[in-house]
């Protein structure tokens, strides 16, 4: 996918998936390329075999909650993740034991629902995003090299592991388990 190119998968009622089987070695994305999972169907799977530049999760035309799920493994996003509701529904990215690794920002007004998985955030975690814990054992790690905004939310385990700069808390935080500051600074 070329620079600024967009691949859209799905429609209001059709949960089209990334072509299967796909090998990550056979799919390349230039900087600023985007993949949009845009089904309004009840669920749509997000392919883990591809390294995304920009990843969008949307649900046009839907009137109920829409879940975007991944198979066991890691979703790798090198630029940004955008999860958008359409005012009549909730778009949720479901993480069980999986890993979400976003080098840039996590934006939108959708929701990330995590039970036992791990999230690595290299940019900011937008305050307009929903973040829901549905289990025990999840970890969110802020690991960017620049200043970061930490989502005010309830975390099971929260880790700050920054090579440089500060992670600044963007709202009230509750911890069910551990706060670990490996490198960097956490500030309010």
């Amino acid at each position: 996918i070329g620079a600024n190119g967009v691949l859209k998968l799905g429609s209001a009622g059709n949960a089209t998936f990334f072509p299967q089987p796909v090998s990550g070695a056979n799919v390349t994305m230039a900087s600023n390329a985007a993949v949009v999972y845009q089904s309004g169907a009840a669920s749509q799977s997000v392919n883990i075999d591809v390294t995304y530049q920009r990843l969008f999760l949307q649900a046009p035309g839907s009137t109920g909650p829409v879940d975007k799920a991944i198979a066991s493994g890691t979703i790798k996003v090198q630029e940004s993740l955008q999860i958008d509701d359409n005012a009549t529904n909730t778009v949720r990215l479901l993480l069980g034991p999986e890993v979400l690794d976003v080098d840039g920002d996590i934006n939108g007004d959708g929701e990330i629902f995590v039970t036992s998985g791990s999230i690595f955030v290299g940019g900011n975690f937008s305050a307009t995003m929903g973040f829901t814990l549905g289990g025990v054992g999840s970890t969110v790690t802020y690991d960017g090299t620049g200043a970061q905004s930490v989502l005010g939310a309830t975390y099971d385990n929260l880790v700050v592991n920054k090579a440089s700069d500060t992670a600044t808390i963007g709202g009230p935080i509750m911890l069910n388990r551990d706060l670990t500051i490996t490198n960097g600074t956490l500030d309010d």
Side-chain angles (χ1 to χ4, degrees):
I1 301 174
N4 300 315
V6 178
L7 172 63
K8 293 184 176 182
L9 300 169
S11 63
N14 186 0
T16 304
F17 305 108
F18 210 96
Q20 296 289 337
V22 68
S23 167
N26 297 333
V27 177
T28 58
M29 294 186 200
S31 180
N32 211 37
V35 173
V36 181
Y37 288 85
Q38 62 172 9
S39 171
S43 66
Q44 186 176 28
S45 295
V46 178
N47 188 292
I48 62 168
D49 297 319
V50 176
T51 298
Y52 300 94
Q53 293 296 322
R54 295 182 304 136
L55 177 59
F56 292 79
L57 306 179
Q58 302 172 339
S62 177
T63 58
V66 176
D67 294 335
K68 310 293 182 177
I70 65 172
S72 295
T74 300
I75 293 180
K76 177 66 177 162
V77 182
Q78 293 184 322
E79 293 178 25
S80 63
L81 170 64
Q82 180 87 23
I83 303 175
D84 293 317
D85 291 347
N86 71 4
T88 59
N89 68 355
T90 301
V91 176
R92 300 186 307 174
L93 175 60
L94 305 178
L95 294 176
E98 297 84 19
V99 175
L100 172 63
D101 187 356
V102 180
D103 291 345
D105 295 337
I106 298 176
N107 293 309
D109 58 359
E111 177 185 2
I112 295 177
F113 184 91
V114 61
T115 55
S116 60
S118 297
I119 301 172
F120 294 87
V121 184
N124 297 314
F125 203 140
S126 173
T128 58
M129 283 293 302
F131 179 72
T132 303
L133 286 176
V136 177
S138 65
T139 300
V140 177
T141 302
Y142 289 85
D143 63 356
T145 56
Q148 287 183 268
S149 178
V150 176
L151 178 68
T154 299
Y155 295 90
D156 206 32
N157 298 291
L158 177 60
V159 176
V160 175
N161 188 12
K162 301 175 57 53
S164 62
D165 225 319
T166 300
T168 303
I169 298 170
I173 289 181
M174 286 191 55
L175 292 170
N176 291 338
R177 292 185 180 236
D178 296 326
L179 169 63
T180 304
I181 302 174
T182 307
N183 287 308
T185 303
L186 180 62
D187 197 5
D188 61 358

